[in-house]
Amino acid sequence: MTDMPPKAEPQSSNRWRRFAEWDERPLRYDLFAAENPEAGFSVFRSPYDPAPSLSVEGGRVTVMDGKAEADFDILDAFIAAHHIDPVMAETAMAMDPGEIARRLVDINVPRQELEALARGLTPARLAEVVGRLSALEIAFAYSKMRQRQTPGNQAHVTNAKDDPLQLAADAAVAVALGFDEIETTMRVSSNSWANALACTVGAAVGRGGVLFQCSIEEAEELQIGLAGLASYAETVSVYGTERAFIDGDDTPWSKALLTAAYASRGIKARCTSGAAAELLMGFHEQRSLLYLEARCLCLQRAMGVQGTQNGGIDGAPLTASMAGGVRELMAENLIAVWLGLECASGNDCRTSESEIRVGAKITPYLLAGSDLICSGFGSIKKYDNSFNPSLFNGEEIEDYLLLQRDFQTDGGLTPVEEDQVLGLRVRAVEALAAVMEELDLGTVPRARMMSVVFASGSEETQSYSAGEVTPISAAIKARGITALDVVRALGRRGYTEEAENLLLMLRQRISGDYLQTSALVRDGRVLSAINDPNDYRGPGTGYRMPEPRWQAVQGIRNVLTRERVLAAENVVGEAVGQAAGEADWLVPAGVAAKGSDPHEVVIGVSPAFARQLHQTTAGHALSDVVAALVDGIEAGGGTARLVRMMHTADTSFLGLAAARLSGSGFGIGIQAKGTTVLHQADRMPHMNLELFSNAPLTGLEHYRALGRNAARHTYGEAPEPVMVPTHGEALGARFHVRVALLYAIETGLIDLTVHPIELTYRPARPVTEAAQ
């Protein structure tokens, strides 16, 4: 975005300033639509929607949703002829819609029974039934009704330059991340053949069986598929009004013919539809979004297509702008799987600038699972996504990986190691360069390849421009280069594994196994609704991540262990001249006795302080922290004494024990991680005078000020408490894992039989210098 949210108004404005702060959040980019059926803005129900109805005479539909056969438009005619099951219709339409809704969420009613029932329901009745379900019930019903048991995911692989080298490298990474399908498109339409070739080679690096699509004009896409440079298509658009169909020079029959053409050549095909498409095109007929999408989905089942890409798609941001719109997107996905279609369940379009809304939108699909959770997760950066930014993009891949781990659910992706990624990117660009040279499409300079290997996006590369790609693409098309030519080229140049991976997909084209409903290829084997059916019937059934898969999902970065924490502490210790064990600047000097100096402040340190642990969570060396405390105490007119407590690691009790040993009755307790308390001997344990609870934000100047305050208390003064500022940082997420491990080390050293130990303090440099 080039525009920024409006700036906060001056403080003199006659307005609660919180609104000005809210105005600066990304959410302010989002605009929202009011309910307006006349203009097509209605989600679940419009007063212009027809009432559900059906009459069948002699096996022929004569009335459907309030319209007589003579008045049917092309959609009605196609649905009546090819979707409605006249045998099932009498039973299905006679059932109470509330009862059907309850069956959708009843774990005792099998999926197959409900699918059969759907074949007798009209679009209006389907919309009415799912409209009765809450968002939670829709997600639950979806988990039961989706076709394939094992979840999958699909990636967008594009870039702003149509650079084939970057496409190959990014396709290889998408494959490594676990995407089962990758889809590309281009900024310049004439570059389609080069994009297809690049992604085909990149997808073959590291893993076989990934399905690939080149999204372009339908006739061109079919030619690319016939050449073996694509294995699926999902750009067959279907609409919920007759005028929208006709505006695109199409009919349900022409679309059915096209999907049959794909399937006849072993190319898996899905249709695309989704709420708000008709509204964007201006042909909404004042009907609700859900009713129009129910028509689309009935058409798709009637066409005999394998699956659907729905859930708003390009219209998702418009749908999400309406009250209940995100729930509607879930509801249309539910109709899709209820009708027995594979569902690539949208989530491919950025519906909001708010990361909170984005995360909330994906959550039901992660929990319920889906045949393809995203019909286009942007595996590249937002600016390189030629489809426009997806719900999730390359910037947010690690966030998504963490969501899988958080919920212990399979979102279809697997963490990757840095070295693994670099190896794949090198292999992919070298393989593509070899193919291009072998097929006489050009010689790729090494500098171009390496600029792509390390680049996060096209703004960082010195590789092909879109104009340079066009003649390469034209040559591929003109010379009739096919995937078999690519296999030969890979084999001749020594890329045997990649050649075998690509050949695996061509063999699958001949067998046609992945034309089954909800099919994908894993480890060279087709998984579909036929051999991997979703059998969810309640707890303990359906998909559960196998243990190896769960272990793989957990393999994210930033996982701390006790060993890693101690290793970091030892490095810090060595960096400041300390050994890995006990520091030489705090020397045990026998059992600590109670002091008599009325201005003495005892600093009580924890069991692991400067022994196994040597820095605070803010990164301050403990030697510097002690120097700051001592300097503050002396600046306030007090005398500092250090004592190690072995009977406790609790901050409050460290401070209380220190205060009771102090001649003044005032003491400071400090843990190795930096949490600090100022206490008085006659107080209750947790009724301290001052507390630094946010150690990661506490600086040396705060410790010095606390020491001075402690000394001034010994003179009977009441100094202003030291405040450590916080600005809403998620300190728990940043530090609690480390804190828990650090505290476990502390408590592991507790010995209730050991009396407090007097410590001789030997500062490495003058106290005032260390405390600065």
Side-chain angles (χ1 to χ4, degrees), residues 54-62 79-94 116-122 301:
L54 188 71
S55 296
V56 179
E57 297 178 9
R60 184 183 183 90
V61 174
T62 56
I79 290 169
H82 303 291
H83 162 65
I84 297 294
D85 178 350
V87 177
M88 178 57 70
E90 183 178 358
T91 299
M93 290 298 290
L117 195 66
R119 295 169 195 146
L121 298 176
T122 67
R301 199 196 80 78

Side-chain angles (χ1 to χ4, degrees), residues 483-563:
L484 279 176
D485 297 315
V486 178
V487 170
R488 294 190 193 100
L490 287 167
R492 287 173 186 151
R493 291 303 183 101
Y495 292 91
T496 306
E497 183 178 346
E498 287 76 13
E500 287 291 341
N501 287 342
L502 180 50
L503 195 58
L504 165 68
M505 292 309 301
L506 297 179
R507 292 192 186 103
Q508 286 292 341
R509 288 280 294 272
I510 295 172
S511 71
D513 283 347
Y514 68 67
L515 301 184
Q516 299 168 11
T517 299
S518 301
L520 50 78
V521 184
R522 295 268 180 94
D523 300 320
R525 174 174 175 259
V526 172
L527 292 181
S528 72
I530 305 301
N531 63 354
D532 185 37
N534 179 20
D535 60 357
Y536 181 76
R537 295 287 295 276
T541 66
Y543 180 73
R544 296 290 187 276
M545 270 193 285
E547 186 59 27
R549 173 66 181 148
W550 174 226
Q551 292 301 319
V553 165
Q554 295 180 68
I556 56 168
R557 299 194 299 165
N558 287 7
V559 176
L560 287 180
T561 62
R562 178 188 174 98
E563 291 72 27

Side-chain angles (χ1 to χ4, degrees), residues 236-296:
V236 183
S237 300
V238 174
Y239 303 103
T241 66
E242 182 177 80
R243 289 187 65 193
F245 254 111
I246 294 172
D247 187 61
D249 295 325
D250 284 305
T251 69
W253 291 270
S254 66
K255 294 291 187 179
L257 179 62
L258 180 59
T259 57
Y262 280 120
S264 69
R265 296 301 183 264
I267 302 171
K268 176 181 174 181
R270 282 191 291 269
C271 289
T272 292
S273 61
E278 300 83 8
L279 181 55
L280 287 171
M281 295 177 70
F283 302 126
H284 49 77
E285 296 180 355
Q286 301 178 320
R287 307 296 177 86
S288 68
L289 304 187
L290 185 60
Y291 168 71
L292 292 177
E293 183 56 18
R295 296 187 91 197
C296 289

Side-chain angles (χ1 to χ4, degrees), residues 45-67:
R45 181 68 189 166
S46 165
Y48 301 100
D49 285 351
S53 65
L54 188 71
S55 296
V56 179
E57 297 178 9
R60 184 183 183 90
V61 174
T62 56
V63 176
M64 186 174 67
D65 291 341
K67 190 183 293 185

